[in-house]
Amino acid sequence: MLTGIDFTHDPGARSWVVSANAAETDFPLQNLPHGVFRRRGRHEAWRGGVAIGAQVLDLAAVVASGRLSDGLERTAIEAASRDSLNSLMALGRPAWRALRALLFRLLRDGAQEAVWLSECLVPQDEVEFALPAQVRNYTDFFTSRHHMLNAGRIFQPNAGPLENFGWLPIAYHGRASTVEVSGADFARPRGITVDGEGRVGFGPTKALDYELELGAWIGPGNHRGAPIAVADAEEHLFGLTLLNDWSARDVQRFEALPLGPFLAKNFLTTVSPWIVTLEALAPFRCALPREPGIRPRCRT
């Protein structure tokens, strides 16, 4: 299971990368999120990087330096340096934790490696990003009671809470082929809609919308039909990211019942270029709030 706080969460630790110590940065030494990048406007290979302040640490350049010793840390950083993070995520938590500890030590103020490691930094304002990993499966969940109620009111304002929500995860599966990195261009979707007078027509959506959601990146998987115990679930969770779930609401309103969304929601989902590891978020964990008196309505 995921353990608690260690030396990589020291709030007083500072980096020799000066911009990582700024109060307003999203990328201090304690974060170290992973992504895939290249210099903008150049025909370079995509490769893995880690955000540190206003810079990206080029992990492919670190590996190419030949200065790393063999072992789990080297295996992990080599996997993290590739053009997709799938192989890193497949290694599992011991490798993820070892890599985080290595990067923290390399980037911490006073590290002797700073002399040569500074040559492996690329300014963030000079790069472009790719999708961090190849998305082979994608499931969209209701994640809270508030989400369930608010989403339901879009199409059925007078409907009550869903009876099954208190008992099982409510989700739909698919759309993996249209997941893109944040900022991706897309054509305004077209589909069949019905107006207030019941007239059916075809054309571009007039109700383009998105929901800001939380994405979870899964590492080691399981064989089809082989369950993962709830107690072991965190061992499969690599990290979290911000996600925009795009929708054509007018198309969705006409096509969704009874089977759910089709064209209205399969044209785009965008994710942040950075994946924040579960280890980095350890200091911010808190108990899930529960409203008193809310219980499932169905009988067992």
Side-chain angles (χ1 to χ4, degrees), residues 111-149:
Q112 296 180 353
E113 294 85 355
V115 176
W116 62 269
L117 206 59
S118 61
E119 299 298 318
C120 301
L121 295 176
V122 181
Q124 283 204 43
D125 59 7
E126 295 180 9
V127 308
E128 58 183 349
F129 297 101
L131 195 64
Q134 297 175 15
V135 181
R136 296 166 182 159
N137 253 322
Y138 172 46
T139 303
D140 193 319
F141 289 88
F142 281 149
T143 56
S144 70
R145 180 176 173 84
H146 297 292
H147 188 187
M148 177 266 294
L149 291 173

Side-chain angles (χ1 to χ4, degrees), residues 5 25 31 85 109 136-138 145 160 164 199 269 282 286:
I5 309 302
T25 185
N31 190 349
L85 296 179
D109 193 24
R136 296 166 182 159
N137 253 322
Y138 172 46
R145 180 176 173 84
N164 58 349
R199 292 175 298 203
T269 298
C286 60

Side-chain angles (χ1 to χ4, degrees), residues 35-39 44-49 58 60 80-83 122:
V36 172
F37 80 102
R38 68 183 178 188
R39 287 180 176 85
E44 296 181 337
W46 295 103
R47 67 265 196 194
D58 185 340
S81 71
R82 297 170 187 164
D83 60 1
V122 181

Side-chain angles (χ1 to χ4, degrees), residues 8 25-34 50-52 100 104 274-277 279-281:
T8 67
T25 185
D26 292 324
F27 306 111
L29 179 62
Q30 295 79 5
N31 190 349
L32 304 177
H34 288 269
V50 166
I52 179 72
R100 174 176 168 83
F104 189 92
W274 296 117
I275 303 176
V276 178
T277 64
E279 279 77 19
L281 294 168

Side-chain angles (χ1 to χ4, degrees), residues 180-256:
E180 299 283 355
V181 72
S182 181
D185 292 331
F186 65 97
R188 179 173 288 269
R190 301 169 65 87
I192 298 175
T193 61
V194 60
D195 64 19
E197 298 181 0
R199 292 175 298 203
V200 177
F202 177 83
T205 179
K206 299 178 181 178
L208 189 63
D209 187 22
Y210 70 88
E211 299 164 84
L212 174 60
E213 299 181 356
L214 188 68
W217 292 90
I218 306 302
N222 59 315
H223 294 291
R224 186 172 59 190
I228 296 173
V230 172
D232 298 331
E234 285 185 358
E235 295 304 305
H236 296 260
L237 182 57
F238 174 67
L240 303 178
T241 191
L242 292 178
L243 180 152
N244 281 343
D245 179 18
W246 294 83
S247 304
R249 294 298 188 191
D250 46 358
V251 177
Q252 183 182 359
R253 184 173 290 107
F254 190 53
E255 74 179 12

Side-chain angles (χ1 to χ4, degrees), residues 2-13 26-34 50-52 57 59 72-78 80 88 91-108 117 238-239 275-284:
L2 182 67
T3 56
I5 309 302
D6 63 20
F7 72 97
T8 67
H9 302 104
D10 178 2
D26 292 324
F27 306 111
L29 179 62
Q30 295 79 5
N31 190 349
L32 304 177
H34 288 269
V50 166
I52 179 72
L57 179 63
L59 299 186
L72 183 59
E73 293 176 342
R74 182 181 176 89
T75 298
I77 200 170
E78 286 179 345
L88 171 65
L91 289 177
R93 192 162 307 285
W96 307 338
R97 185 178 288 116
L99 177 55
R100 174 176 168 83
L102 170 65
L103 293 170
F104 189 92
R105 291 194 299 268
L106 292 176
L107 292 167
R108 189 167 189 170
L117 206 59
F238 174 67
I275 303 176
V276 178
T277 64
L278 208 60
E279 279 77 19
L281 294 168
F284 307 100

